[in-house]
Amino acid sequence: MSVFRIEHLSKSFGELTVLKDITTTIEKGEIISIIGPSGTGKSTLLRCLNLLEMPSGGRIFFNDLDLLARTTNITKIRQRIGMVFQSFNLYNHLSVLDNLTLGPVKLLRKSKAEAELKAMELLKLVGLAEKAASFPDELSGGQKQRVAIARCLAMEPEVILFDEPTSALDPTMTSEVLAVIRRLAKEGMTMVIVTHEMEIARNISTRVFYMDEGFIYEEGTPQQIFENPQREKTREFINRVRRYTYRITSKDYDLYAMNAEIEAFCEKHLLSRRICHNVLLLAEEVLGLQRDFSDITLSLAYSEKDDRLEFIFESAGEPANPLEEGEREDDLGIILIKSRCDSIQYKYENGKNILLCGVKG
Ligand code: ADP
Ligand code: MG
């Protein structure tokens, strides 16, 4: 029996049709990640699954129960479908423990003692037993999200829907939350996760939905979607998430912001500290050789297949290889650049000097 069976689901907001025709099934124990450009209806699909949004057409079955049937008690059903939001949605006036016991006491009619026992067990599971008496305001974002997950588990759901659970978090907090999600995956929890986190999509989920144009445009195993996407838009999206671009248009560009973004890109793709360090150094040295800052694009492209990071530096202007300018040949900067790459290629194309560097790991 499937956990969810979705048939020709559609959803419009007035004139705007967001979901055109979604048909799929989600089996017990599956971990589905939903990826795709923003605005393509990923959250809407998730919210339709527990009727936080009313579908405009089609049918949804939860354990063979027709969610849209008049006789279905949706409040009851919703208790079995957990939901975790980007913004945590904790009750700020309640302690962590009370956040976890409220639902079980009110809705599952558990005794306070029983609910507290279970809550402490769950707080241990997410590493926050120590914080039982704290209030949400006293916690970091990562801790809040782990409390939100524990609160969700306290209702003993059969499936958990996550809507970008880590997108409000910085990288260290993201990994705290990923560790908890990974643990739930190991325990066989059925999960549907809308995410920009490729770590989830690639390494935790069992199946990936790529959404575009109001449909599940392509679905497959993480390996199929990431290494061998079949359709054009999927391919474009996958290439895009693997690529980072920074534009510079004046000498006063924000070096710190650029470096922080490069580091975030490296983290996201689980690249080693060493590669990250080499890229930062490369960027600094290449920019150090530059005189004209009016039109520069700096990109990183990661190829998972070859586990290789390419650094691409483009600057508009007359042809001039920055690495071969007469007396600058033995410039310390040039030596440093060369020592951080295992390949360097220069070309001039469409009015742009382009350096392609394979970054050393
Ligand atoms: P995603 O999660 O993929 O970024 P959403 O499902 O949030 O996309 O939104 C898809 C589209 O539906 C967007 O254009 C958004 O503005 C619109 N939308 C979402 N919720 C509502 C709503 N309650 N009322 C009107 N439009 C909405
Ligand atoms: Mg969304």
Side-chain angles (χ1 to χ4, degrees), residues 42-44 163-164 194:
K42 302 181 299 296
S43 297
T44 303
D163 195 356
E164 300 201 19
V194 172

Side-chain angles (χ1 to χ4, degrees), residues 6-22:
I6 305 164
E7 294 178 353
H8 306 293
L9 174 71
S10 63
K11 175 66 185 175
S12 305
F13 295 104
E15 298 280 277
L16 179 71
T17 301
V18 177
L19 303 178
K20 286 185 188 144
D21 183 356
I22 307 260

